[in-house]
Amino acid sequence: MIPAGPLSIVPLSSPPELTWRVPGSKSITNRALVLAALADGESTLEGVLHSDDTRHMRSALEALGIRIQDAGPSTLVVEGGRHRLRAPERELFIGNSGTTVRFLAALACLVPGEVVLVGDEHMAKRPIADLVDGLRQLGADVDCPTGCPPLRIRGGRLKGGTLTMRGDRSSQYFSAVMMAGPFADSAIDLRVAGELVSRPYVEITRRMVADFGGRIDEAAGGFTVHPAAGYRPRAYPIEPDASSASYPFALAAAAGGAVTVPGLGDGALQGDYRFVELLEQAGARVSKHADATTVRGDGRLRGIDVDMHHISDTVMTLAAIAPLLEGPTTIRNVANIRIKETDRLAATVAELRRLGQEVTHGDDWLRVEPRLLTPALVHSYSDHRMAMSFAILGLCRPGITIENPACVAKTYPTFWEDVERCRAAAGTASPNNGGR
């Protein structure tokens, strides 16, 4: 159950010593849903994340003609195939799910008929013009008057050919084309203008496309998406979400004790798993195994200076514990977080300052000089990662209240239940959730 806000966070009374089971990866779940929807036959997805974002993807695919059934608490059976795709009877509401709107924008180009993608008030401010322009380069008919959703796609085919997009906006634009691209009339020469942000997520997409029978090769200046007869249906396991795992890992490092996350090991697909390397650099001890990772801390960490360009979803996790580190922490090369659920760079700076920290910043960096924490209500900006990141700080130090705890439902609906399990393991009484 997600508590009503505002939610006062009571610090743990002793260092945590526990196993923290993190739900499945949002990034992998939504990719697997798209690939299984396009695979000709029945696929079984195991370890699926059930959250706002993945429910938006599922409901949209079902409206497009794909049959999806529950076969267990975290198992879905998807009956897919391009031949099943049809124009929906209504606009497709995708909330504030960036993966859903971007992946479906490309998939909708394969749907015979018109598809309209609309989101909430936050989605209406999230740019998608680069992807729209890229799809138009492949012959797609896409209307997007504001450069942000809503957008209208009149689909049926992608011509193939050459497509160039800026690499510094969102890797999801490239992933979207990679998943739909094998169904184009001919190969796609997918060129990257500048540096590609969040490259590990594109590598996840390439590997998953290959797992379902497609082929994407690296090429000079980008990638070649080869045409395929179709995707092969299959059973597909989904690993725990590495971005969500950053919260228990950060807690162990900052509060002391040890937290083990099962199912996420040194062969992890997700680039955000590298967050543990930053904790190690700051002084934590990390034990990696094939099927689990443990982070141990003694409560004493040093500030670090890091480039987080490729693991940007964990920027706020590090920034939120920066007040507990000895010396300044500098996070660089993260301009891309300004077009997420909110302007995450500005939001993080504002909330750290609200908590009494000395923070300087530029367009793509921020630096935190630790100061005594000032008790405050931390604004969430309807951003799940703001709420979860600063909750970890609150488990380590008193005075943190989370304005909107319900926003964690976007990717981690059971987060507060897991916090309570951690609290129980540490022998800490549950707080009164009724206010500040």
Side-chain angles (χ1 to χ4, degrees):
M1 180 177 177
I2 297 179
L7 177 64
S8 297
I9 309 297
V10 174
L12 299 178
S13 57
S14 63
E17 297 278 346
L18 77 157
T19 295
W20 187 314
R21 297 187 180 278
V22 173
S25 163
K26 178 199 75 171
S27 299
I28 296 178
T29 295
N30 270 354
R31 283 167 172 80
L33 282 168
V34 169
L35 294 168
L38 291 171
D40 192 9
E42 184 177 283
S43 295
T44 301
L45 309 182
E46 300 170 347
V48 167
L49 171 69
H50 295 296
S51 71
D52 286 352
D53 276 19
T54 60
R55 288 189 188 97
H56 285 310
M57 177 64 83
R58 174 179 177 171
S59 63
L61 291 172
E62 288 175 326
L64 291 169
I66 305 303
R67 187 179 182 192
I68 304 175
Q69 295 180 299
D70 293 284
S74 60
T75 301
L76 295 178
V77 175
V78 181
E79 293 183 26
R82 183 179 181 179
H83 66 280
R84 298 182 66 95
L85 295 176
R86 63 170 185 264
E89 298 176 354
R90 61 185 187 279
E91 296 178 340
L92 301 184
F93 180 72
I94 40 73
N96 192 23
S97 175
T99 55
T100 301
V101 71
R102 292 159 184 168
F103 295 172
L104 288 184
L107 182 146
C109 295
L110 306 175
V111 177
E114 184 174 277
V115 179
V116 179
L117 301 173
V118 299
D120 61 17
E121 68 274 17
H122 303 288
M123 179 58 72
K125 300 174 184 176
R126 299 182 68 175
I128 197 170
D130 291 279
L131 176 57
V132 168
D133 179 66
L135 294 173
R136 287 171 176 163
Q137 292 175 49
L138 298 179
D141 182 358
V142 187
D143 290 335
C144 185
T146 68
C148 300
L151 61 160
R152 185 183 306 270
I153 303 106
R154 300 173 187 88
R157 63 185 288 243
L158 286 171
K159 292 195 303 184
T162 299
L163 180 163
T164 302
M165 290 187 291
R166 287 180 56 168
D168 62 348
R169 302 286 197 187
S170 172
S171 67
Q172 290 176 10
Y173 300 159
F174 292 85
S175 289
V177 174
M178 287 177 171
M179 288 188 287
F183 294 85
D185 295 345
S186 61
I188 296 174
D189 179 11
L190 182 53
R191 297 180 180 175
V192 182
E195 183 181 2
L196 179 57
V197 69
S198 299
R199 174 67 181 253
Y201 285 99
V202 170
E203 294 306 318
I204 290 175
T205 305
R206 289 182 62 207
R207 181 167 164 180
M208 291 183 67
V209 167
D211 289 341
F212 278 85
R215 180 182 158 203
I216 300 169
D217 293 332
E218 284 199 70
F223 307 90
T224 300
V225 182
H226 296 276
Y231 288 143
R232 296 190 299 266
R234 56 165 294 164
Y236 198 86
I238 294 165
E239 68 188 24
D241 193 291
S243 304
S244 296
S246 72
Y247 309 121
F249 287 148
L251 177 63
V259 174
T260 297
V261 174
L264 195 64
D266 55 10
L269 277 175
Q270 301 160 83
D272 281 2
Y273 179 65
R274 287 180 46 219
F275 181 75
V276 297
E277 297 173 8
L278 305 190
L279 296 177
E280 201 167 31
Q281 187 179 337
R285 288 178 293 152
V286 178
S287 301
K288 299 179 182 179
H289 306 283
D291 59 352
T293 300
T294 300
V295 173
R296 295 177 175 84
D298 60 7
R300 292 174 60 88
L301 298 177
R302 56 185 170 270
I304 55 178
D305 187 328
V306 289
D307 183 327
M308 297 186 71
H309 187 64
H310 292 303
I311 57 170
S312 59
D313 275 350
T314 62
V315 165
M316 289 180 293
T317 315
L318 179 60
I321 64 168
L324 310 179
L325 276 54
E326 297 179 0
T329 293
T330 303
I331 298 171
R332 303 183 186 278
N333 200 16
V334 290
N336 55 309
I337 71 172
R338 310 198 77 149
I339 59 169
K340 297 283 188 174
E341 282 77 349
T342 186
D343 182 336
R344 286 180 169 170
L345 197 154
T348 301
V349 169
E351 299 316 300
L352 286 169
R353 286 175 173 168
R354 195 187 309 278
L355 292 167
Q357 304 307 295
E358 183 176 328
V359 188
T360 52
H361 70 97
D363 288 341
D364 68 346
W365 63 274
L366 69 153
R367 177 182 173 91
V368 184
E369 296 270 1
R371 298 291 185 264
L372 287 176
L373 277 172
T374 301
L377 174 71
V378 174
H379 293 190
S380 305
Y381 304 84
S382 297
D383 190 327
H384 54 130
R385 301 212 183 279
M386 287 293 293
M388 291 187 282
S389 296
F390 282 94
I392 297 305
L393 178 60
L395 290 172
C396 298
R397 296 290 188 275
I400 305 298
T401 300
I402 303 300
E403 168 211 23
N404 176 20
C407 65
V408 305
K410 180 172 167 56
T411 57
Y412 196 162
T414 60
F415 176 76
W416 300 114
E417 295 171 29
D418 288 342
V419 165
E420 286 306 305
R421 278 190 279 271
C422 178
R423 191 185 305 284
T428 308
S430 295
N432 175 2
N433 292 343
R436 298 180 62 178

